[in-house]
Amino acid sequence: MEHRVEAVSMLRNQTESPEAARELKEKIRERSAKVGVVGLGYVGLPLAIEMAHRGFQVTGIDLVKAKVDSVNSGVSYVLDVASEALQSAVSAARMRATQSLAAVEGLDTLNICVPTPLRKNKDPDLSYVIAAVEAIRIHIRPGQLIILESTTYPGTTREVVLPILEESGLRVGHDFFLAYSPERVDPANATYTTRNIPKVVGGITPHCTEIACLLYEQFIQTVVPVSSTDCAEMVKLLENTFRSVNIALANEMALTCHSFGINVWEVIEAAKTKPFGFMPFYPGPGLGGHCIPVDPYYLTWKAKMNGCEPRLIELAGHINNQMPAFMVQRIADALNERRKPLKGSKILGLGVTYKRDTNDIRESPALQVLEGLREKGAAVYFCDPYVRSIVVRGETLKAIELTPNLLQSMDCVAILTDHSAFDYSMVVKFGSMILDTRNALKGFSRSDLNLL
Ligand code: SAJ
């Protein structure tokens, strides 16, 4: 039996649900509600499959034909969704995909899971959200529940999504219901999945919150209602800004420890023994991925619109963004110690993805380090079991195999992403000069290791 964290008071003195709400709640309870997911990426597809698995008939909507075709053929392109699970949902006619947002008309609920990137000037880019919502407006009808899941700034659902939907003439909380629930998907995390990650939910009205909670309770173990969509939007930004700021602290501690000649990794390991009041974060070559480097900018952009100056959050972003340049300088200094100019030196990057054991290179700091080295005239090469090729300053580099000869032929080896698959004993044995930005060699003793 799914359970709901103690609902906030606003759900207690519930006024009588409007007719549309009563009918929709009944359909959700019976699982006869026709549910839809807009955006079949690493968030939307697992969500869709979880709902199909719990007996709902799911329609996935995506702009990309290849994704739609793949889903309808039962072939998964998302790491966390097994093709077998997809195939069984499709065969049981509980999952189908389409490119057409006209399908919205036949649906009772819609979860919007589209990207919310940054523009080049680091301002929020809501174009995907707005496009989806405008298409939904055309097909919206009484009795529908619409939930935005994409990470965004506080106020988006209320100030951007709601006005577009109400252009239809329908009224929120009476004819249709609108809520926000932040996605918390952690790709490749086998422990925490869509089903067991608590789901925070905030509606525009109490009825909206109530119905959105009811939907998630059908297939997610813990549902956490909050008092508004703004609060729910802010929850996700706090979660990820918390990481960005603490990673920046770890990075600044690394630079400080380096100036003292102290091993920052040893300091963190020892600090971790404190059983309370401390949570370890680790330094690295910078901040990558499509969440942590992006989400704080959604928060600071909106805060500044409201006249706030989130200086700590912005400074953290600055520190994290500086790390790749610091790595380039550390390599230049280490080569200099051996009377080798950076220009013309041969440097091998081990790992180019944004974090270990993934194939995702989005915003990867490793790429920024290689770009910086290339810019100063070094010859750069890379090994990465998950990546075939990258582009560095306009030049395509292909991944090369990690061998003793390769290591011996390099002036410097920089461990930028600590994939488990690397043979670190080979690196220690044959690498002439090593910069370990991830403490990947913590198990090895070698006096001349350059640690971050
Ligand atoms: N990083 C550090 N030091 C750390 C932790 C991370 O330098 O101590 C770097 C990573 O190398 C990477 C970047 O920060 O380049 C982001 O790493 P991350 O561990 O935060 O991983 P992400 O980007 O996959 O973050 C996601 C987020 N999930 C969602 O937004 C739903 C985040 O909230 C999760 O906490 C995180 O996964 C997770 O814990 O895996």
Side-chain angles (χ1 to χ4, degrees):
M1 175 61 185
E2 316 314 341
H3 71 282
R4 176 185 302 181
V5 168
E6 181 49 36
V8 290
S9 58
M10 37 71 75
L11 291 180
R12 287 196 197 101
N13 53 8
Q14 190 69 270
T15 52
E16 178 55 27
S17 297
E19 181 54 29
R22 280 201 299 278
E23 278 177 25
L24 181 52
K25 284 197 278 189
E26 206 37 50
K27 285 181 184 173
I28 289 172
R29 284 193 193 94
E30 292 166 356
R31 301 198 186 164
S32 60
K34 301 271 184 295
V35 301
V37 176
V38 180
L40 297 177
Y42 78 91
V43 174
L45 193 58
L47 185 70
I49 288 302
E50 201 59 49
M51 291 199 272
H53 180 63
R54 309 295 285 177
F56 286 102
Q57 192 168 10
V58 186
T59 299
I61 303 171
D62 200 289
L63 293 178
V64 177
K65 186 175 183 308
K67 287 185 181 174
V68 167
D69 293 346
S70 187
V71 166
N72 289 330
S73 335
V75 176
S76 175
Y77 47 84
V78 170
L79 198 62
D80 297 335
V81 174
S83 289
E84 295 71 28
L86 182 54
Q87 181 59 52
S88 101
V90 171
S91 317
R94 281 209 302 277
M95 175 80 207
R96 75 177 188 94
T98 174
Q99 286 180 275
S100 163
L101 271 150
V104 165
E105 204 136 352
L107 300 175
D108 299 304
T109 72
L110 261 180
N111 291 69
I112 304 171
C113 307
V114 296
T116 44
L118 290 175
R119 297 188 188 289
K120 287 225 182 313
N121 64 356
K122 300 279 187 196
D123 283 359
D125 176 0
L126 289 181
S127 59
Y128 296 92
V129 170
I130 291 168
V133 174
E134 282 181 343
I136 291 167
R137 172 178 53 79
I138 296 167
H139 303 288
I140 195 171
R141 56 166 175 72
Q144 285 183 321
L145 166 66
I146 293 133
I147 303 173
L148 178 62
E149 292 214 0
S150 310
T151 304
T152 186
Y153 60 78
T156 301
T157 306
R158 182 173 46 81
E159 297 166 354
V160 177
V161 176
L162 177 58
I164 294 173
L165 294 178
E166 288 202 315
E167 280 171 21
S168 65
L170 297 182
R171 289 175 306 153
V172 70
H174 292 275
D175 304 317
F176 72 95
F177 306 94
L178 178 60
Y180 180 83
S181 177
E183 62 90 0
R184 283 176 158 177
V185 173
D186 186 20
N189 189 328
T191 308
Y192 297 111
T193 63
T194 299
R195 176 157 171 67
N196 65 15
I197 297 171
K199 203 81 170 77
V200 170
V201 183
I204 295 287
T205 70
H207 288 314
C208 298
T209 306
E210 172 81 356
I211 298 172
C213 285
L214 185 64
L215 174 65
Y216 286 120
E217 283 162 6
Q218 307 310 309
F219 61 99
I220 292 181
Q221 285 169 359
T222 306
V223 176
V224 182
V226 291
S227 59
S228 67
T229 56
D230 292 48
C231 176
E233 289 156 341
M234 193 65 172
V235 166
K236 174 61 184 285
L237 293 179
L238 171 60
E239 289 166 7
N240 282 2
T241 303
F242 164 79
R243 288 184 74 75
S244 168
V245 169
N246 279 286
I247 292 165
L249 173 63
N251 285 328
E252 187 153 78
M253 289 300 279
L255 303 179
T256 309
C257 284
H258 181 67
S259 73
F260 296 155
I262 296 171
N263 179 333
V264 68
W265 301 99
E266 182 186 9
V267 169
I268 295 168
E269 285 310 303
K272 257 168 74 175
T273 60
K274 182 179 178 188
F276 53 84
F278 179 77
M279 182 177 176
F281 283 84
Y282 301 95
L287 200 57
H290 48 283
C291 300
I292 311 304
V294 172
D295 298 352
Y297 285 102
Y298 269 74
L299 176 58
T300 54
W301 178 83
K302 183 67 175 178
K304 286 192 280 191
M305 298 276 274
N306 290 1
C308 291
E309 271 306 318
R311 286 175 298 166
L312 172 64
I313 297 170
E314 291 197 315
L315 180 58
H318 177 73
I319 291 167
N320 289 327
N321 292 342
Q322 285 290 306
M323 291 311 285
F326 277 124
M327 297 305 100
V328 172
Q329 190 55 52
R330 293 290 306 285
I331 291 168
D333 293 347
L335 286 167
N336 195 44
E337 286 300 308
R338 301 186 174 203
R339 301 182 189 287
K340 286 185 180 178
L342 182 53
K343 190 166 185 168
S345 288
K346 295 171 69 179
I347 299 169
L348 177 65
L350 285 192
V352 292
T353 58
Y354 84 90
K355 69 176 184 178
R356 80 163 74 96
D357 302 343
T358 168
N359 63 359
D360 195 338
I361 61 171
R362 283 178 290 187
E363 303 291 323
S364 173
L367 296 180
Q368 298 166 49
V369 174
L370 295 177
E371 294 258 349
L373 292 167
R374 189 84 194 85
E375 191 179 355
K376 292 193 181 294
V380 295
Y381 309 83
F382 83 97
C383 300
D384 192 307
Y386 297 92
V387 178
R388 282 206 195 90
S389 68
I390 56 175
V391 176
V392 175
R393 290 178 65 76
E395 184 190 346
T396 299
L397 297 184
K398 290 200 181 312
I400 47 183
E401 191 191 351
L402 183 60
T403 64
N405 289 344
L406 177 72
L407 289 163
Q408 286 171 324
S409 70
M410 292 291 149
D411 296 303
C412 175
V413 178
I415 302 174
L416 300 171
T417 309
D418 48 336
H419 290 310
S420 312
F422 285 138
D423 179 345
Y424 291 110
S425 53
M426 182 201 295
V427 176
V428 169
K429 189 170 176 191
F430 296 103
S432 58
M433 189 181 87
I434 301 168
L435 173 67
D436 181 4
T437 73
R438 298 285 192 171
N439 201 28
L441 305 181
K442 56 180 172 283
F444 297 88
S445 60
R446 184 171 137 168
S447 60
D448 65 338
L449 270 186
N450 293 282
L451 293 177
L452 175 65

